[in-house]
Amino acid sequence: MITVSLCMIVKNEERVLARCLDSVADLMDEIIIVDTGSSDKTKEIAARYTDKIYDFEWVQDFAAARNFAFSKAEMEYIYSADADEVLDEENRKAFRQLKETLLPEIDIVQMYYENQLEYGTIYNFDKELRPKLFKRLRTFTWMEPIHEQVLLEPVIYDSDISIQHMPQDNHKDRDLASFRRIVASGGYLSKRLHNIYAKELFISGDDQDFLDAATFFETSCLDTERSLEEIKEAACVVARAARLKKDGERFLKYALKVVACEGCAEICCELGEYFLERQDLDEAIVWFYNGAYETESILNIHSSGDIPFRGLAECYKRAGNTEQAKRYEKLAKEWKPE
């Protein structure tokens, strides 16, 4: 049977920490809690489960905090958890069985993260695999009888274990503030973070969030180091900001950049809103229809589902076509992401 260190970084998690630890504590051989500046009873609650509680001065860097937590682990594997996660009884049994049967060559175990769409932020899927269990010390082995080489890629196992993600609130304000801080300090967003920033804006950002992000994403559109994918998502953000500012010329400039790159559901919805605001119902219907049926979403899955359906319903309502309006209202209400 493998041994497992639970590593968590926490701050002001008194509402959910006990719920999380109650569901996993007896499955762990070691519990490490790293507190990044709690002002509530988080550390008192943690002390009921472990004496391995460490303070870490918050430096606006989640990776640094997690690396510090991992550095304190001593078991064979490390289980990384957040305080708003819960393992139910069925998945507790599966975790225990995993401990008993995991093959030694496995470096990373992925588990399903569930219940994501209810709280938004960067999620387009209610259930997705995530790396959760990591081998603490990885061994390297030479392979092949001739032209031998060391296996560099980690051996990953996709388990059937499902973790319930049960946050108390949406973290979008914290996350978007972090992105703005990185950008303001001259930091460069990787392709992954560039996508997450745009995605978080379209999934849960408010109008001011788009206006605050516009300058950064406009710069991205001119960055020759950015991929076509990144330029496309950046142009979507700038187009939304321009529409919000009633800057029609700038809106069309960036919307057309996306259309020229085969388009996406997000920009179709933006064009639908643009023409709806101008009472050009026929043109608005064309673009909302394209969002719903002819294009794919790249940032927010709702852009190819209930959002354009609601847009179509509003167009037909204003046009006096009650039957079609009710049809699309029904489609919007019944739509669920796959």
Side-chain angles (χ1 to χ4, degrees), residues 104-105 107 135-143 149-155:
E105 60 265 29
D107 296 310
K135 198 168 192 176
R136 186 173 66 86
L137 297 177
R138 186 181 172 196
T139 57
F140 292 92
T141 305
W142 288 93
M143 300 179 61
Q149 65 177 8
V150 172
L151 179 65
L152 298 177
E153 295 296 326
V155 179

Side-chain angles (χ1 to χ4, degrees), residues 239 242-256 271 274 278:
R243 182 174 65 78
L244 292 171
K245 292 183 74 173
K246 309 297 183 185
D247 187 342
E249 182 177 346
R250 188 158 166 259
F251 169 78
L252 290 174
K253 173 183 175 179
Y254 284 92
L256 288 173
L271 283 159
Y274 174 81
R278 283 155 179 74

